[in-house]
PDB file of all heavy atoms in Angstrom:
ATOM      1  N   ALA S1784     -67.341 -33.422  61.524  1.00 92.00           N
ATOM      2  CA  ALA S1784     -66.775 -34.525  62.284  1.00 92.00           C
ATOM      3  C   ALA S1784     -65.683 -33.885  63.253  1.00 92.00           C
ATOM      4  O   ALA S1784     -65.386 -34.616  64.312  1.00 92.00           O
ATOM      5  CB  ALA S1784     -66.110 -35.625  61.393  1.00 92.00           C
ATOM      6  N   CYS S1785     -65.184 -32.706  62.889  1.00 94.00           N
ATOM      7  CA  CYS S1785     -64.160 -32.151  63.847  1.00 94.00           C
ATOM      8  C   CYS S1785     -64.612 -31.651  65.094  1.00 94.00           C
ATOM      9  O   CYS S1785     -63.971 -31.585  66.154  1.00 94.00           O
ATOM     10  CB  CYS S1785     -63.470 -30.997  63.029  1.00 94.00           C
ATOM     11  SG  CYS S1785     -64.476 -29.450  62.892  1.00 94.00           S
ATOM     12  N   GLU S1786     -66.072 -31.260  65.230  1.00 93.00           N
ATOM     13  CA  GLU S1786     -66.500 -30.584  66.412  1.00 93.00           C
ATOM     14  C   GLU S1786     -68.036 -30.561  66.435  1.00 93.00           C
ATOM     15  O   GLU S1786     -68.628 -30.056  65.515  1.00 93.00           O
ATOM     16  CB  GLU S1786     -65.929 -29.072  66.558  1.00 93.00           C
ATOM     17  CG  GLU S1786     -66.500 -28.469  67.860  1.00 93.00           C
ATOM     18  CD  GLU S1786     -66.128 -26.918  67.949  1.00 93.00           C
ATOM     19  OE1 GLU S1786     -65.004 -26.693  67.050  1.00 93.00           O
ATOM     20  OE2 GLU S1786     -66.604 -26.209  68.675  1.00 93.00           O
ATOM     21  N   PRO S1787     -68.684 -31.116  67.489  1.00 93.00           N
ATOM     22  CA  PRO S1787     -70.118 -31.159  67.626  1.00 93.00           C
ATOM     23  C   PRO S1787     -70.632 -29.626  67.601  1.00 93.00           C
ATOM     24  O   PRO S1787     -70.012 -28.842  68.197  1.00 93.00           O
ATOM     25  CB  PRO S1787     -70.507 -31.859  68.895  1.00 93.00           C
ATOM     26  CG  PRO S1787     -69.255 -32.704  69.123  1.00 93.00           C
ATOM     27  CD  PRO S1787     -68.174 -31.810  68.603  1.00 93.00           C
ATOM     28  N   GLY S1788     -71.691 -29.417  66.747  1.00 93.00           N
ATOM     29  CA  GLY S1788     -72.192 -27.994  66.735  1.00 93.00           C
ATOM     30  C   GLY S1788     -71.516 -27.000  65.758  1.00 93.00           C
ATOM     31  O   GLY S1788     -72.110 -26.057  65.407  1.00 93.00           O
ATOM     32  N   MET S1789     -70.518 -27.579  65.047  1.00 95.00           N
ATOM     33  CA  MET S1789     -69.835 -26.711  64.065  1.00 95.00           C
ATOM     34  C   MET S1789     -70.397 -27.201  62.639  1.00 95.00           C
ATOM     35  O   MET S1789     -70.064 -28.250  62.233  1.00 95.00           O
ATOM     36  CB  MET S1789     -68.288 -26.972  64.097  1.00 95.00           C
ATOM     37  CG  MET S1789     -67.472 -26.323  63.028  1.00 95.00           C
ATOM     38  SD  MET S1789     -67.725 -24.481  62.867  1.00 95.00           S
ATOM     39  CE  MET S1789     -66.847 -23.960  64.342  1.00 95.00           C
ATOM     40  N   PRO S1790     -71.139 -26.460  62.015  1.00 95.00           N
ATOM     41  CA  PRO S1790     -71.727 -26.816  60.703  1.00 95.00           C
ATOM     42  C   PRO S1790     -70.679 -27.126  59.652  1.00 95.00           C
ATOM     43  O   PRO S1790     -69.572 -26.432  59.508  1.00 95.00           O
ATOM     44  CB  PRO S1790     -72.508 -25.538  60.317  1.00 95.00           C
ATOM     45  CG  PRO S1790     -72.782 -24.746  61.543  1.00 95.00           C
ATOM     46  CD  PRO S1790     -71.526 -24.999  62.394  1.00 95.00           C
ATOM     47  N   GLU S1791     -70.911 -28.235  59.025  1.00 95.00           N
ATOM     48  CA  GLU S1791     -69.903 -28.701  57.967  1.00 95.00           C
ATOM     49  C   GLU S1791     -70.287 -27.949  56.733  1.00 95.00           C
ATOM     50  O   GLU S1791     -71.002 -28.581  55.752  1.00 95.00           O
ATOM     51  CB  GLU S1791     -69.957 -30.283  57.809  1.00 95.00           C
ATOM     52  CG  GLU S1791     -68.891 -30.795  56.906  1.00 95.00           C
ATOM     53  CD  GLU S1791     -68.974 -32.202  56.738  1.00 95.00           C
ATOM     54  OE1 GLU S1791     -69.841 -32.772  55.982  1.00 95.00           O
ATOM     55  OE2 GLU S1791     -68.227 -32.999  57.348  1.00 95.00           O
ATOM     56  N   THR S1792     -69.651 -26.801  56.485  1.00 95.00           N
ATOM     57  CA  THR S1792     -69.964 -26.026  55.376  1.00 95.00           C
ATOM     58  C   THR S1792     -68.712 -26.044  54.388  1.00 95.00           C
ATOM     59  O   THR S1792     -67.653 -26.316  54.861  1.00 95.00           O
ATOM     60  CB  THR S1792     -70.376 -24.571  55.591  1.00 95.00           C
ATOM     61  OG1 THR S1792     -69.135 -24.025  56.334  1.00 95.00           O
ATOM     62  CG2 THR S1792     -71.627 -24.532  56.500  1.00 95.00           C
ATOM     63  N   VAL S1793     -68.768 -25.377  53.212  1.00 95.00           N
ATOM     64  CA  VAL S1793     -67.567 -25.464  52.302  1.00 95.00           C
ATOM     65  C   VAL S1793     -66.663 -24.467  52.945  1.00 95.00           C
ATOM     66  O   VAL S1793     -65.369 -24.846  53.013  1.00 95.00           O
ATOM     67  CB  VAL S1793     -68.041 -24.910  50.964  1.00 95.00           C
ATOM     68  CG1 VAL S1793     -66.863 -24.520  50.060  1.00 95.00           C
ATOM     69  CG2 VAL S1793     -68.875 -26.005  50.205  1.00 95.00           C
ATOM     70  N   GLU S1794     -67.083 -23.313  53.393  1.00 95.00           N
ATOM     71  CA  GLU S1794     -66.064 -22.320  53.983  1.00 95.00           C
ATOM     72  C   GLU S1794     -65.346 -22.937  55.210  1.00 95.00           C
ATOM     73  O   GLU S1794     -64.131 -22.793  55.214  1.00 95.00           O
ATOM     74  CB  GLU S1794     -66.825 -21.197  54.492  1.00 95.00           C
ATOM     75  CG  GLU S1794     -65.958 -20.075  55.085  1.00 95.00           C
ATOM     76  CD  GLU S1794     -66.822 -18.958  55.736  1.00 95.00           C
ATOM     77  OE1 GLU S1794     -68.072 -18.875  55.393  1.00 95.00           O
ATOM     78  OE2 GLU S1794     -66.177 -18.207  56.597  1.00 95.00           O
ATOM     79  N   HIS S1795     -65.963 -23.679  56.013  1.00 96.00           N
ATOM     80  CA  HIS S1795     -65.366 -24.318  57.247  1.00 96.00           C
ATOM     81  C   HIS S1795     -64.299 -25.291  56.768  1.00 96.00           C
ATOM     82  O   HIS S1795     -63.277 -25.306  57.214  1.00 96.00           O
ATOM     83  CB  HIS S1795     -66.373 -24.828  58.176  1.00 96.00           C
ATOM     84  CG  HIS S1795     -65.819 -25.816  59.252  1.00 96.00           C
ATOM     85  ND1 HIS S1795     -65.146 -25.271  60.248  1.00 96.00           N
ATOM     86  CD2 HIS S1795     -65.881 -27.162  59.277  1.00 96.00           C
ATOM     87  CE1 HIS S1795     -64.686 -26.428  60.995  1.00 96.00           C
ATOM     88  NE2 HIS S1795     -65.122 -27.535  60.418  1.00 96.00           N
ATOM     89  N   LEU S1796     -64.782 -26.223  55.813  1.00 96.00           N
ATOM     90  CA  LEU S1796     -63.913 -27.246  55.374  1.00 96.00           C
ATOM     91  C   LEU S1796     -62.644 -26.768  54.766  1.00 96.00           C
ATOM     92  O   LEU S1796     -61.513 -27.304  54.965  1.00 96.00           O
ATOM     93  CB  LEU S1796     -64.669 -28.173  54.447  1.00 96.00           C
ATOM     94  CG  LEU S1796     -65.694 -29.096  55.009  1.00 96.00           C
ATOM     95  CD1 LEU S1796     -66.589 -29.662  53.893  1.00 96.00           C
ATOM     96  CD2 LEU S1796     -65.133 -30.102  55.916  1.00 96.00           C
ATOM     97  N   LEU S1797     -62.751 -25.748  53.937  1.00 96.00           N
ATOM     98  CA  LEU S1797     -61.562 -25.249  53.211  1.00 96.00           C
ATOM     99  C   LEU S1797     -60.710 -24.352  53.999  1.00 96.00           C
ATOM    100  O   LEU S1797     -59.460 -24.337  53.851  1.00 96.00           O
ATOM    101  CB  LEU S1797     -61.994 -24.523  51.970  1.00 96.00           C
ATOM    102  CG  LEU S1797     -62.872 -25.287  50.832  1.00 96.00           C
ATOM    103  CD1 LEU S1797     -63.115 -24.388  49.591  1.00 96.00           C
ATOM    104  CD2 LEU S1797     -62.000 -26.498  50.442  1.00 96.00           C
ATOM    105  N   THR S1798     -61.272 -23.597  54.981  1.00 95.00           N
ATOM    106  CA  THR S1798     -60.431 -22.620  55.642  1.00 95.00           C
ATOM    107  C   THR S1798     -60.036 -22.752  57.068  1.00 95.00           C
ATOM    108  O   THR S1798     -58.991 -22.250  57.540  1.00 95.00           O
ATOM    109  CB  THR S1798     -61.157 -21.168  55.571  1.00 95.00           C
ATOM    110  OG1 THR S1798     -62.339 -21.401  56.214  1.00 95.00           O
ATOM    111  CG2 THR S1798     -61.522 -20.740  54.160  1.00 95.00           C
ATOM    112  N   SER S1799     -60.828 -23.680  57.833  1.00 95.00           N
ATOM    113  CA  SER S1799     -60.592 -23.769  59.200  1.00 95.00           C
ATOM    114  C   SER S1799     -60.667 -25.101  59.796  1.00 95.00           C
ATOM    115  O   SER S1799     -60.278 -25.452  60.933  1.00 95.00           O
ATOM    116  CB  SER S1799     -61.429 -22.866  59.950  1.00 95.00           C
ATOM    117  OG  SER S1799     -62.781 -23.155  59.867  1.00 95.00           O
ATOM    118  N   CYS S1800     -61.224 -26.164  59.048  1.00 96.00           N
ATOM    119  CA  CYS S1800     -61.406 -27.546  59.624  1.00 96.00           C
ATOM    120  C   CYS S1800     -59.957 -28.008  59.965  1.00 96.00           C
ATOM    121  O   CYS S1800     -59.262 -28.309  59.081  1.00 96.00           O
ATOM    122  CB  CYS S1800     -62.126 -28.320  58.736  1.00 96.00           C
ATOM    123  SG  CYS S1800     -62.444 -29.995  59.385  1.00 96.00           S
ATOM    124  N   PRO S1801     -59.750 -28.461  61.284  1.00 96.00           N
ATOM    125  CA  PRO S1801     -58.493 -29.108  61.667  1.00 96.00           C
ATOM    126  C   PRO S1801     -58.265 -30.514  60.986  1.00 96.00           C
ATOM    127  O   PRO S1801     -57.087 -30.836  60.943  1.00 96.00           O
ATOM    128  CB  PRO S1801     -58.595 -29.175  63.189  1.00 96.00           C
ATOM    129  CG  PRO S1801     -60.145 -29.343  63.406  1.00 96.00           C
ATOM    130  CD  PRO S1801     -60.882 -28.323  62.388  1.00 96.00           C
ATOM    131  N   ILE S1802     -59.318 -31.246  60.626  1.00 96.00           N
ATOM    132  CA  ILE S1802     -59.250 -32.498  59.910  1.00 96.00           C
ATOM    133  C   ILE S1802     -58.318 -32.282  58.718  1.00 96.00           C
ATOM    134  O   ILE S1802     -57.555 -33.210  58.350  1.00 96.00           O
ATOM    135  CB  ILE S1802     -60.575 -33.133  59.585  1.00 96.00           C
ATOM    136  CG1 ILE S1802     -61.288 -33.342  60.796  1.00 96.00           C
ATOM    137  CG2 ILE S1802     -60.342 -34.342  58.732  1.00 96.00           C
ATOM    138  CD1 ILE S1802     -62.708 -33.810  60.522  1.00 96.00           C
ATOM    139  N   PHE S1803     -58.421 -31.146  57.975  1.00 95.00           N
ATOM    140  CA  PHE S1803     -57.593 -30.961  56.739  1.00 95.00           C
ATOM    141  C   PHE S1803     -56.539 -29.903  57.022  1.00 95.00           C
ATOM    142  O   PHE S1803     -56.110 -29.240  55.938  1.00 95.00           O
ATOM    143  CB  PHE S1803     -58.663 -30.545  55.570  1.00 95.00           C
ATOM    144  CG  PHE S1803     -59.724 -31.490  55.335  1.00 95.00           C
ATOM    145  CD1 PHE S1803     -61.015 -31.321  55.741  1.00 95.00           C
ATOM    146  CD2 PHE S1803     -59.405 -32.759  54.729  1.00 95.00           C
ATOM    147  CE1 PHE S1803     -62.104 -32.146  55.607  1.00 95.00           C
ATOM    148  CE2 PHE S1803     -60.427 -33.640  54.452  1.00 95.00           C
ATOM    149  CZ  PHE S1803     -61.712 -33.429  54.869  1.00 95.00           C
ATOM    150  N   GLY S1804     -56.133 -29.859  58.204  1.00 95.00           N
ATOM    151  CA  GLY S1804     -55.070 -28.701  58.548  1.00 95.00           C
ATOM    152  C   GLY S1804     -53.787 -29.006  57.906  1.00 95.00           C
ATOM    153  O   GLY S1804     -53.056 -28.173  57.435  1.00 95.00           O
ATOM    154  N   LYS S1805     -53.526 -30.312  57.716  1.00 95.00           N
ATOM    155  CA  LYS S1805     -52.152 -30.678  57.013  1.00 95.00           C
ATOM    156  C   LYS S1805     -52.083 -30.362  55.542  1.00 95.00           C
ATOM    157  O   LYS S1805     -51.259 -29.714  55.077  1.00 95.00           O
ATOM    158  CB  LYS S1805     -51.863 -32.260  57.150  1.00 95.00           C
ATOM    159  CG  LYS S1805     -50.587 -32.817  56.560  1.00 95.00           C
ATOM    160  CD  LYS S1805     -50.406 -34.125  56.822  1.00 95.00           C
ATOM    161  CE  LYS S1805     -49.172 -34.629  56.142  1.00 95.00           C
ATOM    162  NZ  LYS S1805     -49.099 -34.628  54.703  1.00 95.00           N
TER     163      LYS S1805
END
Side-chain angles (χ1 to χ4, degrees):
C1785 71
E1786 181 184 343
M1789 173 61 70
E1791 187 181 77
T1792 63
V1793 169
E1794 179 189 340
H1795 167 71
L1796 290 167
L1797 297 183
T1798 65
S1799 59
C1800 181
I1802 295 174
F1803 302 105
K1805 180 176 181 293

